[in-house]
């Protein structure tokens, strides 16, 4: 009978293998045929099968030798827990249920591939895929959202291709092992990411399906780097200004309409030609970028993560490719079909035609009580079928943990390179590079990535607060971006050369500066500054320079400043002054010795007042001193006033402007000096590129580490000293005797009596101290209560609240003191007897033991 049973089992096993092979070949043929082929027409002949097998055998699957290997032979299983090496009775029962379900599925759907239900783990033990998921909420706030979780998994792990691209893997390792070795295939990536997403509250599922060649090989060379995509700018509609009642009519247009029409036609033809050339160039580029036909299109197995809408305010369903961390629509062309999906509670199979691509049910359709597509493995029927239901066992995987060091390092060995379409992204762990570089994006002009267009470098932990450096290789323009905290309050620095008096733009954090400077633009002959929030309402200053006078001796820009030709200053409106007295712009023409003023325009006027002062020599031709003449002030006033025509007013105004001119020249000179200081400091910072280290980072902060170790050493020594002092209760009394002398019987009795007497007195003093504090608190409370009785009528609600708060705190202190006193009275006799017993047993008082022997 035993032999017969074994024979029957072998025949059944052979039938199952044959049915599985038939189903796999049938499905493969179905995937290779056009979409119009119906299920009723899928009967294959032996000749077609042999022909298909021959064609498939000719297809070569190249696997890059650079990709790392990750097999069970490279994993140390000696330290893994018992749950990894054995199955519980509930898990064995689940495997039996899964096998039964798989046989029914193969019988009902012979043209489908075998289900991915219970692959082997790293210990060669079959585990159901749902129990391999371990929902875990990471202790890092950065890993609470799906995008940061996906990006972390993509950066932290190294991709390993499937051994056979046409089949799911035979092994599915635990997330703890995958994290430990930082390697894994697409199923390992998805299992880890799904565990993190479920732990963060998302409705996430692992998907077993079919993907494109680029998706399966993590090939992003035809994808645009997300960092190069510019956000859409919102166009603000300009509000139409209502015309004023009194406006000047525009001049009559005397241009020829025929000539204008001919010019418009000419421009339209030019634009049409440019659009045609642009369209042809785009078509050529699209043809060059088009992927080559994949012989295994639709057959490559891949795993990704599905996130359903509903939880965590997710508006719609979407896919996440764990290899790249990017999200995709459920209708994206990279995802070609779904065989099954699962979470930590259940397993579903797709009963739809795979040619419908990735049609995902809506919210609620994946519940365990539903029986439409996809079909659940473990379903709960009504009350009468309760005994047939089955609950998913707990995960056999240990708690997923990521150490702070691993979370900070992110990439394997601290570095990762990703190749995109015309771009390359490099990532480093913080503090790995001495200059603080953590990321670099290189953009290229061509698909071969040979001609560099621009480089963007991101930095962290820089003492100079440098955050981003943007280098344009075409124009050689460099732009440095800074975080708040630079000594000169730099925000942005745009330049081509660090040499002074070259084209540059420097932007500042105006709130960190006293002068309110926002931006400074400098060229070889000009300097322009923009201000905001100044008490003098200055908003703009522009200085023009002429070339320096050459000197024989070598001189620096500081000792030989550029001669100033013209200074233009503009001011915001000062509401405390009338518009006709509030200067809007003043121009100091230093070479011509003139000063021009333009005042603000009133709202009910169409023009503004102007005034110009002419500076002459101080004496006339006869040698007389010239103070002020009417022709030295030329003015245009919208509403002339009497006091502005007086020479005294004009003279005082010109003297004031001379002082302002001198001050403006000095401020321009200071601005030049500040630019030199900034350039010198930036050169020193780029040469040193010092990094900041937090005082809490004891591994990198050497000063903090040394200080902490010294403090721990001092505290340990102090603790040992206190312990020795507390234990040596005879030390104060033995110090009165000569050292090394043996005690006599009389001396031993006297030491014992003195020690006990001293201890007794200390116990009494402690009790008296507690009693004194108790009485003091009680008296103060009584006084406060008496004061309240006497002034109760005149007290305000605030005073009553203060009184009640004081009474509550005082009663708390009194109760604590009472408890301490009672406890002390209970323990004092016991402590006295304990000390007396220790004294009798102390070897230094050996004569006492002879007395009581």
């Amino acid at each position: 009978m035993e032999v017969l049973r074994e024979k029957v089992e072998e025949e059944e096993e052979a039938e199952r293998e044959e049915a599985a092979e038939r189903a796999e070949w049938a499905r493969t043929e179905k995937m290779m045929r056009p979409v119009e082929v119906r299920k009723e027409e899928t009967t294959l002949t032996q000749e077609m099968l042999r022909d298909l097998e021959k064609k498939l055998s000719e297809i070569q699957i190249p696997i890059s030798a650079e990709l790392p290997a990750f097999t069970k032979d490279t994993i140390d299983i000696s330290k893994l827990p018992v749950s990894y090496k054995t199955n519980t009775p509930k898990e064995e029962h689940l495997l039996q249920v899964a096998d039964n379900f798989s046989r029914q599925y193969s019988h009902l759907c012979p043209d489908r591939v075998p289900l991915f239900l219970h692959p082997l783990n790293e210990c060669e033990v079959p585990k159901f895929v749902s129990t391999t998921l371990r929902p875990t909420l990471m202790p890092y706030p950065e890993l609470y959202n799906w995008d940061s979780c996906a990006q972390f998994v993509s950066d932290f792990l190294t991709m390993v291709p499937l051994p056979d691209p046409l089949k799911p893997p035979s092994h599915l390792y635990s997330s703890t092992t995958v994290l430990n070795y930082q390697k894994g295939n697409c199923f390992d990536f998805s299992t880890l990411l799904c565990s993190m997403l479920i732990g963060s509250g998302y409705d996430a599922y692992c998907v077993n399906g079919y993907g494109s060649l680029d998706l399966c090989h993590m090939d992003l060379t035809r994808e645009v780097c997300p960092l190069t995509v510019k956000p859409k700018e919102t166009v603000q509609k300009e509000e139409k200004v209502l015309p004023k009642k009194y406006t000047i009519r525009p001049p009559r247009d005397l241009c020829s309409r025929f000539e204008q029409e001919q010019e418009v036609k000419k421009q339209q033809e030019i634009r049409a030609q440019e659009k045609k050339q642009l369209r042809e160039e785009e078509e050529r580029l699209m043809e060059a970028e088009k992927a080559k036909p994949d012989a295994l299109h639709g057959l490559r197995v891949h795993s990704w993560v599905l996130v359903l809408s509903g939880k965590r305010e997710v508006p719609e369903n979407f896919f996440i490719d764990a290899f790249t961390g990017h999200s995709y629509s459920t209708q994206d062309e990279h995802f070609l079909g779904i065989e099954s999906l699962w979470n930590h509670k259940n397993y579903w199979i797709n009963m739809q035609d795979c040619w419908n691509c990735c049609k995902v049910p809506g919210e609620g359709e994946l519940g365990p009580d539903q029986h439409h597509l996809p079909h659940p493995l473990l379903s709960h029927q009504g009350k009468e079928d309760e005994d047939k239901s089955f609950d998913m066992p707990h995960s056999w995987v240990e708690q997923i943990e990521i150490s702070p060091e691993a979370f900070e390092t992110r990439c394997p060995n601290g570095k990762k390179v990703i190749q995109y379409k015309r771009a390359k992204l490099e990532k480093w762990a913080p503090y790995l590079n001495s200059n603080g570089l953590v990321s670099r994006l290189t953009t290229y002009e061509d698909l071969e990535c040979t001609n560099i267009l621009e480089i963007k470098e991101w930095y962290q932990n820089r003492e100079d607060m440098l955050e981003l450096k943007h280098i344009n290789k075409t124009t050689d323009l460099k732009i440095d971006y800074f975080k708040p905290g630079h000594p000169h309050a730099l925000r942005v620095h745009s330049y081509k050369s660090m040499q002074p008096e070259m084209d540059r733009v420097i932007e500042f954090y105006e709130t960190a500066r006293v002068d309110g400077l926002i931006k400074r633009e400098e060229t070889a002959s000009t300097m322009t500054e923009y201000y905001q929030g100044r008490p003098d309402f200055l908003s703009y200053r522009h200085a023009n320079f002429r070339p320096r006078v050459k000197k024989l001796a070598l001189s620096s820009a500081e000792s030989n400043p550029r001669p100033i030709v013209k200074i233009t200053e503009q001011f915001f409106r000062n509401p405390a002054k009338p518009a006709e007295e509030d200067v809007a712009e003043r121009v100091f023409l230093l070479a011509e010795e003139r000063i021009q003023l333009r005042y603000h325009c009133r709202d009910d006027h169409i023009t503004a007042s102007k005034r110009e002062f002419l500076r002459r020599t101080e004496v006339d031709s006869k040698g007389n001193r010239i103070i002020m003449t009417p022709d030295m002030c030329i003015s245009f006033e919208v509403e002339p006033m009497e006091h502005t025509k007086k020479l005294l007013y004009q003279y005082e105004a010109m003297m004031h402007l001379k002082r302002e001119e001198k001050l403006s020249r000095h401020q321009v000179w200071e601005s030049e000096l500040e630019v030199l200081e900034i350039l010198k400091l930036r050169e020193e910072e780029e040469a040193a590129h010092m990094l900041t280290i937090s005082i809490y980072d004891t591994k990198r902060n050497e000063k903090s580490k040394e200080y902490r170790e010294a403090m721990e050493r001092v505290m340990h020594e102090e603790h040992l000293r206190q312990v020795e002092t507390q234990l040596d209760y005879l030390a104060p009394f033995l110090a009165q005797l000569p050292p090394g002398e043996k005690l006599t019987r009389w001396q031993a009795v006297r030491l014992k009596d003195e020690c006990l007497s001293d201890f007794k007195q200390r116990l009494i003093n402690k009790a008296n101290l507690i009693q004194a504090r108790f009485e003091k608190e009680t008296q103060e409370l009584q006084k406060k209560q008496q004061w309240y009785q006497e002034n109760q009528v005149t007290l305000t609600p605030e005073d009553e609240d203060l009184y009640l708060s004081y009474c509550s705190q005082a009663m708390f202190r009194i109760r604590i003191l009472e408890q301490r006193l009672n406890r002390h009275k209970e323990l004092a006799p016991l402590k006295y007897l304990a000390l007396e017993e220790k004294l009798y047993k102390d070897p230094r008082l050996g004569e006492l033991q002879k007395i009581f022997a």
Side-chain angles (χ1 to χ4, degrees), residues 362-378:
E363 181 184 353
E365 295 187 11
L366 292 182
D369 296 329
Q370 305 293 333
H371 288 287
H372 37 79
L373 306 179
H375 189 72
L377 186 153
L378 305 177

Side-chain angles (χ1 to χ4, degrees), residues 174-196:
S174 63
S175 296
T176 55
T177 300
V178 173
L179 286 172
N180 186 26
Y181 289 88
Q182 290 189 258
K183 299 177 183 178
N185 55 42
C186 56
F187 287 84
D188 299 323
F189 272 68
S190 300
T191 300
L192 175 59
L193 177 58
C194 191
S195 299
M196 296 171 63

Side-chain angles (χ1 to χ4, degrees), residues 421-679:
K421 177 182 176 182
R422 294 192 180 94
K424 181 175 70 172
L425 179 62
E426 302 169 89
K427 298 180 180 181
W428 292 272
Y431 297 103
L432 185 64
N433 295 320
S434 59
N435 60 349
L437 181 64
V438 296
S439 183
R440 178 192 290 137
L441 175 64
T442 306
T443 307
Y444 299 91
E445 183 179 4
D446 53 344
L447 292 175
E448 292 76 17
C449 297
T450 56
N451 300 327
I452 300 178
L453 286 179
E454 62 179 19
I455 299 175
K456 288 184 178 180
E457 296 178 340
W458 285 266
Y459 297 85
Q460 287 183 6
N461 308 309
R462 293 266 300 215
E463 279 193 356
D464 58 1
M465 311 308 292
L466 179 65
E467 186 177 23
L468 170 63
K469 183 184 289 290
H470 185 187
I471 304 173
N472 192 319
K473 290 294 185 178
T474 305
T475 61
D476 201 25
L477 178 65
K478 305 177 182 66
I479 306 177
D480 297 342
Y481 297 87
F482 299 84
K483 295 188 294 184
H486 191 271
H488 287 278
L490 297 183
R491 183 200 295 268
V492 182
H493 182 200
S494 306
Y495 59 96
K496 291 185 178 180
S497 172
M498 293 296 287
Q499 295 297 324
E501 301 176 11
M502 301 291 289
D503 293 352
R504 75 184 67 258
V505 178
I506 306 177
E507 298 181 19
F508 302 88
Y509 289 96
E510 67 276 5
T511 56
R513 293 182 62 99
V514 180
D515 57 358
L517 180 62
I518 301 176
K519 183 169 66 172
R520 178 182 289 131
E521 299 175 354
E522 185 182 16
T523 64
S525 60
T526 63
M527 178 184 290
T528 308
E529 296 176 332
Y530 301 87
Y531 296 89
Q532 185 176 4
R534 288 174 60 103
D536 58 357
F537 296 93
L538 178 66
S539 63
Y540 171 88
R541 178 185 287 126
H542 179 81
N544 294 82
F545 305 94
R546 68 166 178 262
R548 286 189 180 87
V549 178
K550 295 184 179 180
K551 293 186 178 182
L552 296 178
L554 295 176
S555 59
S556 62
E558 182 176 352
S559 60
N560 185 22
R562 291 179 291 179
I564 304 175
V565 178
K566 176 182 176 182
I567 299 178
T568 304
E569 295 178 340
Q570 297 178 358
F571 298 85
F572 291 115
R573 179 74 174 89
N574 186 358
K577 293 182 179 180
E580 58 272 10
E581 297 181 5
D582 189 13
V583 177
E585 181 184 53
R586 66 186 181 192
V587 181
F588 299 104
L589 300 171
L590 305 181
E592 303 175 12
E593 294 187 346
R594 289 190 299 150
I595 303 176
Q596 298 176 350
L597 299 180
R598 180 176 60 83
Y599 295 87
H600 283 279
C601 181
R602 285 173 45 175
D603 295 337
D604 55 346
H605 289 176
I606 61 175
T607 186
S609 301
K610 298 180 180 179
R611 186 172 283 112
E612 182 176 357
F613 291 89
L614 305 177
R615 297 174 54 190
R616 295 180 180 177
T617 57
E618 299 296 330
V619 294
D620 57 10
S621 59
K622 297 181 180 181
N624 299 322
R625 183 180 179 185
I626 298 177
I627 299 178
M628 190 69 190
T629 58
D631 60 344
M632 294 175 63
C633 179
I634 304 173
S635 63
F636 166 77
E637 299 183 19
V638 179
E639 292 184 359
M641 293 177 286
E642 291 295 330
H643 72 279
T644 59
K645 298 180 180 179
K646 296 180 180 180
L647 289 178
L648 179 61
Y649 172 82
Q650 297 175 0
Y651 172 75
E652 291 177 349
M654 189 171 68
M655 292 297 104
H656 173 71
L657 290 174
K658 286 184 178 180
R659 294 191 294 269
E660 292 294 324
E661 177 185 325
K662 184 178 180 180
L663 180 61
S664 297
R665 294 177 62 180
H666 181 73
Q667 290 176 346
V668 171
W669 178 71
E670 286 185 341
S671 297
E672 288 190 276
L673 293 183
E674 186 183 20
V675 171
L676 296 177
E677 292 178 4
I678 291 175
L679 296 180

